[in-house]
PDB file of all heavy atoms in Angstrom:
ATOM      1  N   TYR J 209      18.306  77.365  14.561  1.00 89.00           N
ATOM      2  CA  TYR J 209      17.926  78.359  15.525  1.00 89.00           C
ATOM      3  C   TYR J 209      18.935  78.397  16.659  1.00 89.00           C
ATOM      4  O   TYR J 209      19.342  79.473  17.140  1.00 89.00           O
ATOM      5  CB  TYR J 209      16.538  78.028  16.046  1.00 89.00           C
ATOM      6  CG  TYR J 209      16.041  78.957  17.150  1.00 89.00           C
ATOM      7  CD1 TYR J 209      15.442  80.172  16.808  1.00 89.00           C
ATOM      8  CD2 TYR J 209      16.138  78.615  18.487  1.00 89.00           C
ATOM      9  CE1 TYR J 209      15.024  81.055  17.790  1.00 89.00           C
ATOM     10  CE2 TYR J 209      15.706  79.468  19.485  1.00 89.00           C
ATOM     11  CZ  TYR J 209      15.115  80.677  19.114  1.00 89.00           C
ATOM     12  OH  TYR J 209      14.682  81.530  20.091  1.00 89.00           O
ATOM     13  N   LEU J 210      19.392  77.209  17.064  1.00 89.00           N
ATOM     14  CA  LEU J 210      20.386  77.137  18.151  1.00 89.00           C
ATOM     15  C   LEU J 210      21.796  77.417  17.682  1.00 89.00           C
ATOM     16  O   LEU J 210      22.729  77.410  18.467  1.00 89.00           O
ATOM     17  CB  LEU J 210      20.332  75.742  18.770  1.00 89.00           C
ATOM     18  CG  LEU J 210      19.036  75.385  19.484  1.00 89.00           C
ATOM     19  CD1 LEU J 210      18.994  73.944  19.908  1.00 89.00           C
ATOM     20  CD2 LEU J 210      18.824  76.309  20.678  1.00 89.00           C
ATOM     21  N   GLY J 211      21.995  77.617  16.394  1.00 86.00           N
ATOM     22  CA  GLY J 211      23.328  77.946  15.914  1.00 86.00           C
ATOM     23  C   GLY J 211      24.184  76.755  15.586  1.00 86.00           C
ATOM     24  O   GLY J 211      25.384  76.886  15.313  1.00 86.00           O
ATOM     25  N   VAL J 212      23.625  75.500  15.619  1.00 87.00           N
ATOM     26  CA  VAL J 212      24.443  74.339  15.256  1.00 87.00           C
ATOM     27  C   VAL J 212      23.972  73.738  13.939  1.00 87.00           C
ATOM     28  O   VAL J 212      24.363  72.629  13.562  1.00 87.00           O
ATOM     29  CB  VAL J 212      24.408  73.262  16.370  1.00 87.00           C
ATOM     30  CG1 VAL J 212      25.212  73.712  17.565  1.00 87.00           C
ATOM     31  CG2 VAL J 212      22.986  72.935  16.733  1.00 87.00           C
ATOM     32  N   GLY J 213      23.169  74.467  13.195  1.00 87.00           N
ATOM     33  CA  GLY J 213      22.722  74.010  11.912  1.00 87.00           C
ATOM     34  C   GLY J 213      23.331  74.859  10.797  1.00 87.00           C
ATOM     35  O   GLY J 213      24.542  75.007  10.711  1.00 87.00           O
ATOM     36  N   VAL J 214      22.436  75.426   9.987  1.00 89.00           N
ATOM     37  CA  VAL J 214      22.906  76.254   8.866  1.00 89.00           C
ATOM     38  C   VAL J 214      23.289  77.642   9.381  1.00 89.00           C
ATOM     39  O   VAL J 214      22.589  78.220  10.208  1.00 89.00           O
ATOM     40  CB  VAL J 214      21.763  76.357   7.823  1.00 89.00           C
ATOM     41  CG1 VAL J 214      22.140  77.332   6.705  1.00 89.00           C
ATOM     42  CG2 VAL J 214      21.472  74.957   7.248  1.00 89.00           C
ATOM     43  N   THR J 215      24.432  78.152   8.904  1.00 86.00           N
ATOM     44  CA  THR J 215      24.831  79.482   9.276  1.00 86.00           C
ATOM     45  C   THR J 215      25.104  80.296   8.027  1.00 86.00           C
ATOM     46  O   THR J 215      25.281  79.732   6.950  1.00 86.00           O
ATOM     47  CB  THR J 215      26.136  79.459  10.132  1.00 86.00           C
ATOM     48  OG1 THR J 215      27.086  78.621   9.479  1.00 86.00           O
ATOM     49  CG2 THR J 215      25.854  78.889  11.542  1.00 86.00           C
ATOM     50  N   ARG J 216      25.143  81.611   8.128  1.00 83.00           N
ATOM     51  CA  ARG J 216      25.410  82.482   6.983  1.00 83.00           C
ATOM     52  C   ARG J 216      26.752  82.103   6.373  1.00 83.00           C
ATOM     53  O   ARG J 216      27.674  81.770   7.121  1.00 83.00           O
ATOM     54  CB  ARG J 216      25.456  83.961   7.397  1.00 83.00           C
ATOM     55  CG  ARG J 216      24.141  84.487   7.975  1.00 83.00           C
ATOM     56  CD  ARG J 216      23.248  84.945   6.875  1.00 83.00           C
ATOM     57  NE  ARG J 216      21.938  85.322   7.442  1.00 83.00           N
ATOM     58  CZ  ARG J 216      20.913  85.725   6.700  1.00 83.00           C
ATOM     59  NH1 ARG J 216      20.972  85.788   5.402  1.00 83.00           N
ATOM     60  NH2 ARG J 216      19.790  86.037   7.282  1.00 83.00           N
ATOM     61  N   PRO J 217      26.898  82.101   5.054  1.00 89.00           N
ATOM     62  CA  PRO J 217      25.946  82.596   4.060  1.00 89.00           C
ATOM     63  C   PRO J 217      24.781  81.664   3.759  1.00 89.00           C
ATOM     64  O   PRO J 217      23.941  82.048   2.960  1.00 89.00           O
ATOM     65  CB  PRO J 217      26.825  82.813   2.824  1.00 89.00           C
ATOM     66  CG  PRO J 217      27.864  81.748   2.954  1.00 89.00           C
ATOM     67  CD  PRO J 217      28.113  81.589   4.422  1.00 89.00           C
ATOM     68  N   GLY J 218      24.710  80.498   4.368  1.00 88.00           N
ATOM     69  CA  GLY J 218      23.541  79.649   4.192  1.00 88.00           C
ATOM     70  C   GLY J 218      22.357  80.357   4.824  1.00 88.00           C
ATOM     71  O   GLY J 218      22.534  81.214   5.703  1.00 88.00           O
ATOM     72  N   ILE J 219      21.144  79.998   4.376  1.00 90.00           N
ATOM     73  CA  ILE J 219      19.948  80.593   4.981  1.00 90.00           C
ATOM     74  C   ILE J 219      18.973  79.489   5.287  1.00 90.00           C
ATOM     75  O   ILE J 219      18.760  78.582   4.469  1.00 90.00           O
ATOM     76  CB  ILE J 219      19.313  81.616   4.041  1.00 90.00           C
ATOM     77  CG1 ILE J 219      20.288  82.768   3.778  1.00 90.00           C
ATOM     78  CG2 ILE J 219      18.003  82.168   4.647  1.00 90.00           C
ATOM     79  CD1 ILE J 219      19.824  83.702   2.688  1.00 90.00           C
ATOM     80  N   SER J 220      18.405  79.584   6.491  1.00 91.00           N
ATOM     81  CA  SER J 220      17.393  78.615   6.831  1.00 91.00           C
ATOM     82  C   SER J 220      16.324  79.318   7.644  1.00 91.00           C
ATOM     83  O   SER J 220      16.589  80.361   8.227  1.00 91.00           O
ATOM     84  CB  SER J 220      18.026  77.502   7.676  1.00 91.00           C
ATOM     85  OG  SER J 220      17.318  77.218   8.841  1.00 91.00           O
ATOM     86  N   TRP J 221      15.122  78.770   7.647  1.00 90.00           N
ATOM     87  CA  TRP J 221      14.022  79.412   8.368  1.00 90.00           C
ATOM     88  C   TRP J 221      14.366  79.468   9.849  1.00 90.00           C
ATOM     89  O   TRP J 221      14.016  80.436  10.542  1.00 90.00           O
ATOM     90  CB  TRP J 221      12.728  78.646   8.132  1.00 90.00           C
ATOM     91  CG  TRP J 221      12.211  78.758   6.729  1.00 90.00           C
ATOM     92  CD1 TRP J 221      12.520  79.743   5.858  1.00 90.00           C
ATOM     93  CD2 TRP J 221      11.358  77.868   6.062  1.00 90.00           C
ATOM     94  NE1 TRP J 221      11.900  79.526   4.648  1.00 90.00           N
ATOM     95  CE2 TRP J 221      11.122  78.365   4.739  1.00 90.00           C
ATOM     96  CE3 TRP J 221      10.682  76.698   6.400  1.00 90.00           C
ATOM     97  CZ2 TRP J 221      10.360  77.761   3.795  1.00 90.00           C
ATOM     98  CZ3 TRP J 221       9.879  76.065   5.453  1.00 90.00           C
ATOM     99  CH2 TRP J 221       9.714  76.626   4.169  1.00 90.00           C
TER     100      TRP J 221
END
Side-chain angles (χ1 to χ4, degrees):
Chain J
Y209 177 82
L210 294 173
V212 288
V214 174
T215 49
R216 297 275 174 182
I219 298 171
S220 132
W221 292 337

